Amino acid sequence: FGSIVLGSFFVGFLEAIRSMFKWCENNRFSCIRCVVRCWLGCIEWAMIYFNKYAYAHCAIYGSGFMHAAKATWQLFLKRGIVMIINDDLTGAAITCGALICGVITGGIGWAIGDAFYGDQDTGDWSKYGLL
């Protein structure tokens, strides 16, 4: 199997099991079914997160998925929660940077628009709430 196929198979298998629990119409044991669906969702999230690093290892070193998964697991054991925190912090930094750039770009656009078109009569645009 290819690396992506094997990694996606595991995630797809978990999604199929979770879907079976979701579409189960039996109202008995609904609390247990809900807990199992929650656990399967958490395991699925962890598999997707884990596969991201395993795929990167496959691409960088050209190894198979099973070898990359073992190496990724060793990385998780060695670095622990620090790696997950770093991954989370980089996402927040990128989001803040994109938000700041959007606000600055909007401000520049407003300034250019006001400089070129600020003295014009609004005309009928005011009834649409645009000006």
Side-chain angles (χ1 to χ4, degrees):
F1 289 107
S3 299
I4 295 176
V5 172
L6 189 59
S8 298
F9 171 75
F10 293 133
V11 174
F13 182 72
L14 283 174
E15 285 179 359
I17 292 174
R18 201 166 73 137
S19 294
M20 283 189 255
F21 276 101
K22 182 180 178 184
W23 291 104
C24 182
E25 295 294 328
N26 188 2
N27 286 333
R28 293 177 56 199
F29 307 112
S30 63
C31 181
I32 295 171
R33 190 178 67 235
C34 182
V35 169
V36 169
R37 281 182 52 209
C38 180
W39 275 98
L40 286 173
C42 292
I43 293 170
E44 181 183 342
W45 172 84
M47 286 285 293
I48 291 171
Y49 187 82
F50 181 80
N51 281 350
K52 180 172 61 170
Y53 288 99
Y55 292 150
H57 190 278
C58 288
I60 293 170
Y61 298 110
S63 60
F65 181 77
M66 296 306 281
H67 180 267
K70 289 176 186 175
T72 303
W73 182 251
Q74 291 300 320
L75 176 68
F76 279 11
L77 290 177
K78 189 187 312 181
R79 296 292 178 196
I81 196 75
V82 174
M83 186 175 66
I84 296 171
I85 291 171
N86 286 342
D87 189 40
D88 189 45
L89 291 177
T90 57
I94 290 172
T95 302
C96 287
L99 182 65
I100 290 169
C101 287
V103 169
I104 290 172
T105 303
I108 291 171
W110 175 81
I112 290 173
D114 189 54
F116 284 109
Y117 304 108
D119 58 346
Q120 293 183 359
D121 184 27
T122 58
D124 291 336
W125 290 102
S126 60
K127 66 181 176 183
Y128 299 114
L130 297 173
L131 296 175

